[in-house]
Amino acid sequence: MIKDFCKTAIIVGEREVSYRAMLKRIELYAAETEMAEGDRTVIFSENREGWIYAFFSVWNNRGIAVPVDATSTVDDVAYILNDCRPRHLWCSASHADTARSAAEKSGVEVVLHIIDELEKADVDEGELKSYSWAAEDATSLIIYTSGTTGSPKGVMLSFANLYANIRGVCDGIHIFNENRRTLILLPVHHILPLMGTVIAPIIMGGGVAICPTMSGPDIMATLCRGKVAIFVGVPRLWQTLYNGIMKKIDANAVTRLLFGMCKKVRSRRLSRIVFSSVRKKMGGHIDFCVSGGAALDRDVSEGLQALGLDVLEGYGMTETAPIISFTRPNDIIPGCCGLPLPGVECKIVNGEICAKGPNLMKGYYNRPEETAAVIDSDGFLHTGDLARFDEKGRVYITGRTKEIIVLSNGKNVQPSEIEYKIEKYDTQVKEAAVVQDGDMLRVIIVPQEQWVAGRGDEEISVALKREVLEPYNLTVMNYKKLMSVYVYHGELPRTRLEKLQRYKLKDIIAKGSLPETKDEAPAAGDEHLSQEFMVLKAYIEREKRMPVSPLSHIETDLAFDSLDRVGLQGFIEQTFGMHLNADSMAAFKNIGEIAEHIAAEKTKIEVEDIDWHKILMNRTAVDTKLQTSSLTSLWSRLLRCFFKWHNSLKVVGVENIPAEGPFIIAPNHQSVLDGPLTMAGLGWKQTSDCYFYATEDHVQGAVVRFLAKHHNIVVMERRNLKSSIVRLADVLRHGKNVVIFPEGSRTHDGNMSGFKRTFAILSQELDVPIVPVRITGAFEALPRGRRIPNRTAITVEYLKPVMPDKLLSYEDLAEKVRDAIKG
């Protein structure tokens, strides 16, 4: 608890606010909002100093705080105002117009207060007033979370619920204390950052440092300036941090060796000594990293541990304020959510974890029936999550039974909420169902029969995008946007009680409901279209593997995500010599408009139409000197023996390998083990005659470059792709063999991605057969991020050679090989 009122409570940039100054400003904010005990006050603002004052001022007045997402739309805020009927609303100046419009739309009479006006006001830091919050069983918070009815529910949390969480992580465990400052980074309207980065650290006297944005430089600067000891984040943040560090470690053979040693030894002290620079760059004071909101990848957790960073994972819900279980600092097990919070009882019912304890909510605001649906007569909350316990009672979450879609950035999406809004367009829509595709949302729509009369499916799809999806997308936050529509004629699968059977939805799409359709392209052909459009069309069709017309929209037709937009931005800059902001692309009505904008603003246009036949047949351009090394065969033999012992390696289809070269070996790419695995069925001379094709990214550092030079590796130069392919052609002309991984990079999930056409170009133009190779088990043995292979069985299967066919395009030949490997 607070002992020294002169101690710093809040750090914002260069500004430091003492506990005394903070409490005086809380008094100032409280004086602005007279209320009766139990009155509700909405706080609608981005993370900032004044948010804290407004929040605690509500408790100072014995009221109930209702935090609202700062990115909420007018409709979102209006719903909450209408549901909880607050007396006051605190908002930042930048959100005032949204707040006023929401109040007007809801019809609720609410007094609006601007946070900014008092945030830095001068205060008399004299004697503090004595006050106490409401009784422990009184409601302290109402946090809105999506429900199964298509509208958000207000979770009522008492002071007792919050105290149970605070005691659990402060008494005995001592995660939060007066000597540990916490970083405020995540939006504090969520219960995890509200409890973990505002309430607990401020009450326990450690204080907070507010990060202005979620950018890397701002995070590092705030960690250092604030001497932060506790860093709370979501899994995607930790994965980004880990990947950034590992790029630097992987670039050096010594650091790779040290990392592998630390990961194997698992000594916290050793890791902190070896990788002291990691903690130093993060301010040098980090004691704990806390991950919540979604499951953290096991490899990321293990990797951060090897770097000397303790990651405490937790499991919980808004309804439990939020902790159900969490890992203790001396008992960190990657993939485990730790022991239950003290005083919390957990049990498994039909695979579902249920929890009961002093942290359990009072119920959903004004929704007794929905409260009774999740809290049984014995007082246990049915979480909707599948779990198991180990022998010590630790919790492991194994799956989800709830309908909520959880994206990798930690955002929760309730599909029924979106379906409810889409079905409001009842002139066009009879039924709607939302499905997840990676980090994107797609919707199946059953159109109204009257509305579709006389229209074809393609016309229906285009009309739905324009009349339903685009208007809807303008009203919601980015992660709730719908990226494409599937038209379905029939009835969506439902139970006798009319509940949607979601597990059947993907089957509807797979069995031929209309997928992603192209817009109506002009019938006259492409000759009248601008050069700028044709260049964009070629790029997008190559990258997205879907047809593009001038009317195609970046989001609703082509399903561009943020990475796709960044890629297109880079292409436009390189090709046309102009800058187009990636985030503004969706504002253009279609690709045609983007092309028109480029035509008006471009400073150049550089597009190469590559004639591979002419280039590869120009023998005078070939001057590659081949250096064959027997070390390749030696290492291949040694590694094959290791894989047979460690992974029960099985090699089949050796009879399909041509007796003499040249030929191209094209394997699927599951892991870093694939190089030597591909050689497992080849003889000594065949192995010596094999040359690998690698990108510059894979050949970094003096040691790796030396090994590449002496192990038959042809390095692809990004700036001169043509030269690299010519060198490979020369290898084949010398009667040697080439190994190319057509996917370009390792799989992320064990599934094959699209095949690039380099190997098909060489095969077609040089009349060289392709030997497809199917590798299975390597992903499970050594997925991305893992350094030591598991003892998983691996099979390498050489398939019948695919012969070049002049009637096939490069793309068709590449797809033919991919289909053979896929089986």
Side-chain angles (χ1 to χ4, degrees):
M1 295 296 179
I2 305 168
K3 297 176 183 177
D4 182 2
F5 290 99
C6 295
K7 185 179 178 181
T8 299
I10 303 170
I11 294 177
V12 189
E14 299 296 330
R15 175 179 166 83
E16 296 190 6
V17 181
S18 69
Y19 267 95
R20 183 177 296 278
M22 178 190 74
L23 292 171
K24 294 299 286 188
R25 284 193 175 84
I26 290 172
E27 291 176 6
L28 184 65
Y29 276 63
E32 291 287 313
T33 53
E34 293 183 5
M35 64 181 74
E37 184 168 341
D39 279 350
R40 291 158 296 286
T41 298
V42 164
I43 306 171
F44 177 44
S45 166
E46 68 284 359
N47 291 1
R48 60 188 300 155
E49 179 186 339
W51 197 101
I52 297 172
Y53 305 146
F55 176 78
F56 284 110
S57 74
V58 178
W59 286 357
N60 195 16
N61 285 334
R62 294 178 171 247
I64 300 171
V66 186
V68 173
D69 188 345
T71 64
S72 296
T73 64
V74 170
D75 287 346
D76 294 330
V77 179
Y79 172 85
I80 291 173
L81 295 179
N82 188 60
D83 191 63
C84 71
R85 317 296 292 187
R87 182 172 176 184
H88 297 277
L89 189 156
W90 282 105
C91 70
S92 58
S94 60
H95 290 77
D97 288 344
T98 300
R100 291 189 185 98
S101 298
E104 182 178 350
K105 186 167 187 175
S106 69
V108 176
E109 292 186 11
V110 60
V111 182
L112 187 68
H113 306 273
I114 305 299
I115 287 176
D116 314 40
E117 294 174 357
L118 299 177
E119 191 171 52
K120 295 184 174 104
D122 292 331
V123 291
D124 174 14
E125 295 192 18
E127 186 177 350
L128 294 169
K129 294 180 180 178
S130 61
Y131 66 91
S132 61
W133 296 338
E136 286 201 15
D137 62 349
T139 301
S140 63
L141 290 168
I142 297 178
I143 304 254
Y144 278 84
T145 183
S146 293
T148 57
T149 60
S151 57
K153 302 187 294 291
V155 177
M156 296 186 294
L157 299 174
S158 68
F159 284 100
N161 298 152
L162 306 185
Y163 293 154
N165 273 264
I166 293 172
R167 285 191 292 267
V169 294
C170 299
D171 295 350
I173 307 300
H174 301 305
I175 293 174
F176 294 92
N177 60 41
E178 61 182 6
N179 298 315
R180 290 188 179 127
R181 184 172 290 114
T182 301
L183 181 73
I184 294 182
L185 177 66
L186 304 177
V188 293
H189 69 278
H190 288 297
I191 187 60
L192 170 63
L194 176 56
M195 276 294 296
T197 70
V198 177
I199 298 173
I202 285 180
I203 287 179
M204 295 307 297
V208 298
I210 302 175
C211 190
T213 72
M214 293 191 73
S215 71
D218 279 342
I219 292 173
M220 292 304 174
T222 308
L223 289 172
C224 294
R225 188 166 49 242
K227 297 180 179 179
V228 170
I230 300 176
F231 185 176
V232 180
V234 292
R236 191 164 186 173
L237 176 67
W238 299 123
Q239 184 169 350
T240 301
L241 173 68
Y242 175 65
N243 290 342
I245 296 172
M246 289 309 299
K247 281 183 181 179
K248 296 180 180 179
I249 288 177
D250 287 339
N252 185 285
V254 175
T255 52
R256 284 200 306 274
L257 180 65
L258 291 172
F259 177 80
M261 177 185 67
C262 289
K263 197 169 184 181
K264 188 172 183 179
V265 173
R266 296 185 179 181
S267 166
R268 181 175 183 266
R269 184 178 180 184
L270 176 64
S271 293
R272 289 200 166 188
I273 292 173
V274 172
F275 293 106
S276 59
S277 60
V278 173
R279 293 183 70 249
K280 188 174 181 180
K281 287 179 181 178
M282 298 173 69
H285 295 269
I286 293 290
D287 286 333
F288 303 118
C289 298
V290 178
S291 181
L296 179 64
D297 185 84
R298 183 186 180 92
D299 287 332
V300 173
S301 180
E302 290 177 346
L304 290 172
Q305 265 191 306
L307 294 170
L309 297 174
D310 290 340
V311 183
L312 306 182
E313 296 182 60
Y315 165 66
M317 305 170 65
T318 303
E319 287 85 344
T320 54
I323 302 174
I324 291 176
S325 68
F326 69 100
T327 55
R328 275 48 170 183
N330 61 349
D331 188 33
I332 299 175
I333 302 174
C336 174
C337 298
L339 292 166
L341 189 77
V344 171
E345 180 183 352
C346 292
K347 66 179 181 179
I348 304 292
V349 179
N350 296 325
E352 179 187 15
I353 185 170
C354 303
K356 174 183 179 181
N359 60 336
L360 184 56
M361 68 171 179
K362 298 180 69 174
Y364 296 120
Y365 185 70
N366 282 339
R367 298 197 184 190
E369 291 182 359
E370 294 189 34
T371 301
V374 296
I375 300 178
D376 63 27
S377 57
D378 293 326
F380 278 92
L381 172 73
H382 288 251
T383 65
D385 292 311
L386 300 173
R388 66 178 178 84
F389 301 137
D390 67 10
E391 68 284 355
K392 292 188 177 180
R394 301 186 191 94
V395 177
Y396 293 77
I397 301 300
T398 58
R400 303 176 68 84
T401 61
K402 294 181 288 188
E403 295 178 349
I404 291 177
I405 295 171
V406 181
L407 304 177
S408 67
N409 59 6
K411 293 288 188 181
N412 290 352
V413 177
Q414 175 54 260
S416 58
E417 175 187 342
I418 297 175
E419 291 155 1
Y420 175 76
K421 291 181 178 180
I422 293 298
E423 288 174 358
K424 280 188 173 182
Y425 295 87
D426 53 4
T427 299
Q428 301 91 345
V429 181
K430 180 180 179 182
E431 288 185 280
V434 173
V435 294
Q436 181 180 11
D437 182 5
D439 270 350
M440 295 186 294
L441 302 176
R442 303 180 185 274
V443 63
I444 301 170
I445 290 181
V446 177
Q448 294 284 8
E449 292 181 12
Q450 262 187 317
W451 181 74
V452 302
R455 303 189 191 202
D457 279 346
E458 196 169 40
E459 185 182 359
I460 294 169
S461 179
V462 171
L464 285 172
K465 292 169 187 172
R466 299 293 179 264
E467 298 176 27
V468 179
L469 264 63
E470 288 184 19
Y472 160 79
N473 283 346
L474 291 173
T475 68
V476 298
M477 291 168 275
N478 284 338
Y479 71 92
K480 290 185 179 180
K481 287 184 178 180
L482 296 170
M483 305 308 286
S484 68
V485 61
Y486 294 80
V487 178
Y488 182 64
H489 298 289
E491 294 185 354
L492 295 179
R494 297 181 183 274
T495 66
R496 295 286 296 274
L497 298 176
E498 289 297 299
K499 185 176 181 180
L500 200 59
Q501 294 176 304
R502 296 190 181 276
Y503 66 94
K504 295 182 179 180
L505 296 178
K506 289 188 178 180
D507 289 339
I508 288 178
I509 295 173
K511 289 179 181 177
S513 56
L514 186 68
E516 200 55 37
T517 57
K518 61 182 179 181
D519 289 84
E520 300 163 303
D526 291 342
E527 60 272 6
H528 69 290
L529 298 173
S530 70
Q531 184 182 12
E532 291 79 14
F533 169 75
M534 295 306 295
V535 172
L536 289 178
K537 172 183 168 72
Y539 170 81
I540 295 170
E541 288 184 345
R542 183 173 69 249
E543 295 297 313
K544 298 294 290 182
R545 297 177 180 271
M546 58 178 63
V548 176
S549 85
L551 300 179
S552 298
H553 187 270
I554 283 286
E555 287 187 349
T556 56
D557 294 318
L558 303 176
F560 263 58
D561 60 19
S562 58
L563 292 178
D564 291 326
R565 290 196 294 269
V566 170
L568 180 57
Q569 178 189 32
F571 173 77
I572 290 171
E573 288 181 359
Q574 181 179 353
T575 306
F576 299 105
M578 60 169 288
H579 178 76
L580 181 62
N581 189 296
D583 293 331
S584 67
M585 289 178 182
F588 290 92
K589 289 183 180 179
N590 49 50
I591 296 296
E593 278 199 3
I594 294 178
E596 290 176 8
H597 177 73
I598 290 172
E601 301 292 333
K602 73 178 188 295
T603 61
K604 66 172 184 176
I605 183 165
E606 295 181 0
V607 183
E608 295 182 349
D609 185 14
I610 300 175
D611 185 343
W612 286 113
H613 179 76
K614 181 177 179 181
I615 291 171
L616 296 180
M617 291 301 103
N618 182 10
R619 298 291 297 271
T620 60
V622 176
D623 60 357
T624 303
K625 295 180 180 179
L626 299 183
Q627 183 174 353
T628 301
S629 171
S630 59
L631 289 176
T632 302
S633 296
L634 177 61
W635 279 111
S636 174
R637 290 292 185 278
L638 293 174
L639 288 171
R640 182 169 62 184
C641 292
F642 170 79
F643 292 135
K644 283 187 174 181
W645 166 73
H646 190 267
N647 297 96
S648 302
L649 175 63
K650 182 180 180 182
V651 180
V652 296
V654 176
E655 67 277 7
N656 291 320
I657 302 173
E660 296 180 356
F663 53 85
I664 297 169
I665 297 177
N668 58 312
H669 205 355
Q670 292 208 326
S671 85
V672 295
L673 305 177
D674 295 340
L677 286 172
T678 302
M679 301 287 98
L682 274 62
W684 184 278
K685 186 177 185 307
Q686 286 178 317
T687 303
S688 296
D689 285 347
C690 274
Y691 286 75
F692 285 82
Y693 185 49
T695 66
E696 288 178 316
D697 290 340
H698 296 125
V699 188
Q700 298 289 329
V703 175
V704 178
R705 284 196 297 270
F706 174 83
L707 292 173
K709 185 178 180 181
H710 293 84
H711 283 79
N712 301 4
I713 293 177
V714 177
V715 180
M716 184 194 81
E717 301 172 15
R718 283 184 176 180
R719 296 182 180 180
N720 200 343
L721 177 62
K722 287 190 293 184
S723 174
S724 300
I725 295 180
V726 167
R727 290 174 62 200
L728 287 174
D730 196 24
V731 171
L732 292 167
R733 284 199 183 95
H734 279 78
K736 307 298 184 182
N737 310 315
V738 171
V739 179
I740 300 179
F741 292 99
E743 294 166 272
S745 61
R746 287 171 285 152
T747 179
H748 287 269
D749 57 8
N751 297 317
M752 276 198 301
S753 56
F755 275 22
K756 295 175 173 57
R757 62 180 188 163
T758 302
F759 77 107
I761 293 171
L762 292 166
S763 173
Q764 285 280 58
E765 300 304 338
L766 299 179
D767 197 28
V768 173
I770 301 167
V771 179
V773 180
R774 182 187 298 136
I775 300 174
T776 54
F779 174 74
E780 291 75 15
L782 196 66
R784 282 175 176 262
R786 188 172 180 82
R787 293 293 180 269
I788 301 174
N790 297 313
R791 298 185 70 91
T792 304
I794 297 175
T795 299
V796 176
E797 182 179 0
Y798 298 90
L799 306 173
K800 290 184 177 180
V802 175
M803 303 305 295
D805 184 345
K806 297 298 182 183
L807 297 178
L808 296 178
S809 67
Y810 301 141
E811 289 77 13
D812 289 341
L813 180 58
E815 199 62 26
K816 186 176 180 179
V817 174
R818 186 178 186 274
D819 289 342
I821 295 173
K822 193 174 180 180

